[in-house]
Amino acid sequence: MINEETYSIGQYTFNSYEEYLDGQEDMELIKHLIHEVDFDDPEQVVALYRIIRSGKVNFKSKVGRGFFGFVSDKVAGGTISLAKDKEEHEDKLNETSKGRRVAGFLIIAAAAICFLTFGLGEIRTRYNAKQLEELQGQMDEAKKSLGDNYVAPFADEATEGVVSDVSEATTDLSDSEFDDQPQEEETIKASDLKVLPQFADIYEKNHDMIGWLTIENTDINYPVMQIEADNSYYLNHSFDKSKDKNGTLFVDGRNDVINRDDNIIIYGHNMRSGAMFGQLKNFLDEDYAWTHRFIEFDTIYETAQYRIVGVGLSEVEYQDDDSFRYYDFLDADDEEEFDEAISNIKKLVSIGDMDVEFGDELITLSTCNSYTEDGRMFVMAKRIK
């Protein structure tokens, strides 16, 4: 449990996550104070001391109290005298020594902030990683408990092209008298669907969750989020919506996952630690891509398996550039538009057969790549079951 861990912020340790959060709030306040106060102005530093002393600035933890002690020591030690007014300071303090003292204080303060901020980031990363492990464990347990009722996550290639019972049943209508009448596609609403039991408990923790992505024998085993028309929030937020440099995998906010677009794009950071899509670059090796060619992307409403058909490199294009953008291929109006998009993607693909035709359901995993400035890497897969 979280409460059993000891958390550290710089030289300060906390015995509970609640105390750590208080320390985190104090750190944000300290950073704000240092940004707002001109430490070349003695009156401002004295004012800062008095504001903290009066309780107008309320620190909650030993981090804040430590900062106040630091300010107090500097004031009491003669860097700035509380007993003298501005004129006395100007008469008695040598400008050179004052400058050195203030500069020294700023260096120490800046170093402390950098050190503590780094510590905060590391603790937050550790906490979010542990939370993610708990979600993964919960997901594994849910699948095990369902037993035979759960669709096997990785299918053989022999399953490609298999037609479901529902599809076979509907083909009998092809010769009916209704063929000549235009059939309007019914729009499905989320409220009409039921969340699969393996996702129910996890979904209750965050309703932004749209599914789960797994690539066998890799560390890619994550919840996938989506906020309509927003492709920025989960770049730096974890599953529980706390700040996290790793972010969380998320579906393009323009995509319709329920009334299935032709191509669902899933974004994730290329982290050096290997987190999120940090291992995706391994797919630039053809042998690796072949031995890891099956992907499971389950939405919260249905399970599905995919096979990789292409791995490619691209870059972010400027808005006024007419170049093809793979990340703008979401849905085609007709077969001609679909074929044109696939033709352009083939030009970017270096690995894969791109065995794709109109009507296939696709996913594209997209991340950053440093092969060029604003470089991007993508892995495209088509649904096989």
Side-chain angles (χ1 to χ4, degrees):
M1 298 297 291
I2 294 172
N3 289 336
E4 295 174 356
E5 300 227 1
T6 299
Y7 298 91
S8 299
I9 300 179
Q11 63 181 341
Y12 302 104
T13 59
F14 304 90
N15 295 322
S16 71
Y17 184 62
E18 288 72 20
E19 291 179 1
Y20 151 71
L21 289 178
D22 288 340
Q24 188 178 31
E25 288 186 21
D26 283 354
M27 272 302 307
E28 295 297 324
L29 182 55
I30 290 169
K31 285 192 290 185
H32 174 74
L33 292 173
I34 289 181
H35 177 74
E36 294 296 326
V37 173
D38 181 2
F39 286 94
D40 288 325
D41 186 339
E43 282 191 346
Q44 288 196 33
V45 181
V46 172
L48 172 61
Y49 172 87
R50 288 172 174 164
I51 289 172
I52 298 174
R53 182 69 179 272
S54 69
K56 293 179 180 178
V57 172
N58 183 25
F59 289 120
K60 297 181 178 180
S61 74
K62 59 183 74 176
V63 175
R65 293 190 292 272
F67 176 75
F68 177 54
F70 179 74
V71 174
S72 301
D73 288 344
K74 289 298 180 181
V75 172
T79 303
I80 302 172
S81 174
L82 291 175
K84 299 183 181 294
D85 59 17
K86 183 178 179 179
E87 288 74 24
E88 288 174 326
H89 278 291
E90 292 175 350
D91 291 337
K92 292 188 176 182
L93 293 177
N94 179 274
E95 290 297 326
T96 301
S97 62
K98 182 183 72 173
R100 289 174 179 171
R101 285 193 293 271
V102 173
F105 171 74
L106 289 175
I107 291 172
I108 293 172
I113 293 299
C114 289
F115 181 73
L116 295 179
T117 302
F118 175 78
L120 276 173
E122 288 302 305
I123 289 173
R124 185 183 293 116
T125 298
R126 281 171 46 202
Y127 170 72
N128 289 331
K130 182 171 182 178
Q131 181 197 55
L132 187 54
E133 288 179 5
E134 292 175 352
L135 288 176
Q136 291 167 340
Q138 186 175 348
M139 189 72 222
D140 290 341
E141 287 299 318
K143 291 179 180 180
K144 289 178 182 178
S145 66
L146 289 168
D148 293 338
N149 292 324
Y150 182 73
V151 176
F154 299 100
D156 295 331
E157 284 187 285
T159 61
E160 291 191 39
V162 174
V163 182
S164 69
D165 293 339
V166 175
S167 298
E168 291 174 349
T170 57
T171 56
D172 293 337
L173 297 176
S174 58
D175 297 327
S176 73
E177 60 181 325
F178 300 105
D179 280 353
D180 295 332
Q181 299 181 13
Q183 300 294 315
E184 293 185 4
E185 293 186 5
E186 183 178 354
T187 300
I188 303 172
K189 300 178 181 179
S191 57
D192 298 329
L193 302 175
K194 184 177 180 180
V195 175
L196 294 174
Q198 60 263 37
F199 297 117
D201 291 342
I202 300 176
Y203 177 72
E204 283 304 311
K205 296 178 180 179
N206 187 340
H207 285 192
D208 289 341
M209 179 180 171
I210 194 64
W212 196 283
L213 181 75
T214 307
I215 303 180
E216 192 175 27
N217 296 322
T218 74
D219 291 336
I220 298 175
N221 179 28
Y222 299 116
V224 180
M225 321 303 285
Q226 186 185 37
I227 299 178
E228 185 177 353
D230 186 348
N231 281 348
S232 62
Y233 184 81
Y234 282 106
L235 284 172
N236 54 13
H237 286 83
S238 66
F239 178 86
D240 71 349
K241 299 187 177 183
S242 64
K243 283 282 189 177
D244 187 353
K245 65 181 180 181
N246 290 325
T248 309
L249 302 188
F250 63 94
V251 167
D252 194 302
R254 300 168 296 174
N255 266 136
D256 187 342
V257 176
I258 297 175
N259 300 280
R260 185 64 160 70
D261 285 338
D262 293 323
N263 184 32
I264 304 296
I265 302 181
I266 304 173
Y267 299 101
H269 281 309
N270 177 12
M271 302 303 295
R272 292 182 180 179
S273 65
M276 299 302 131
F277 279 162
Q279 292 189 337
L280 212 60
K281 55 183 174 288
N282 295 334
F283 287 84
L284 291 169
D285 179 273
E286 189 169 5
D287 290 337
Y288 186 93
W290 173 252
T291 55
H292 297 80
R293 62 190 181 279
F294 297 115
I295 298 175
E296 176 187 4
F297 173 52
D298 298 337
T299 71
I300 57 175
Y301 306 112
E302 67 171 351
T303 62
Q305 289 79 48
Y306 297 78
R307 178 178 67 81
I308 293 174
V309 294
V311 180
L313 296 173
S314 182
E315 57 186 300
V316 174
E317 305 291 350
Y318 294 105
Q319 290 185 352
D320 57 354
D321 196 314
D322 292 331
S323 299
F324 175 75
R325 300 167 174 82
Y326 75 85
Y327 45 84
D328 278 341
F329 170 48
L330 305 173
D331 200 39
D333 291 335
D334 50 41
E335 186 171 357
E336 182 180 357
E337 184 177 329
F338 181 92
D339 290 342
E340 182 181 0
I342 294 302
S343 176
N344 283 313
I345 291 174
K346 285 181 178 179
K347 297 175 184 177
L348 303 174
V349 166
S350 57
I351 295 172
D353 55 21
M354 284 302 292
D355 177 22
V356 175
E357 60 183 24
F358 183 63
D360 284 338
E361 295 182 1
L362 307 173
I363 59 171
T364 298
L365 316 183
S366 178
T367 191
C368 297
N369 190 278
S370 58
Y371 85 100
T372 186
E373 184 179 0
D374 292 330
R376 293 293 184 272
M377 176 193 168
F378 64 90
V379 173
M380 176 172 280
K382 74 173 182 178
R383 186 170 180 174
I384 57 176
K385 185 177 180 181

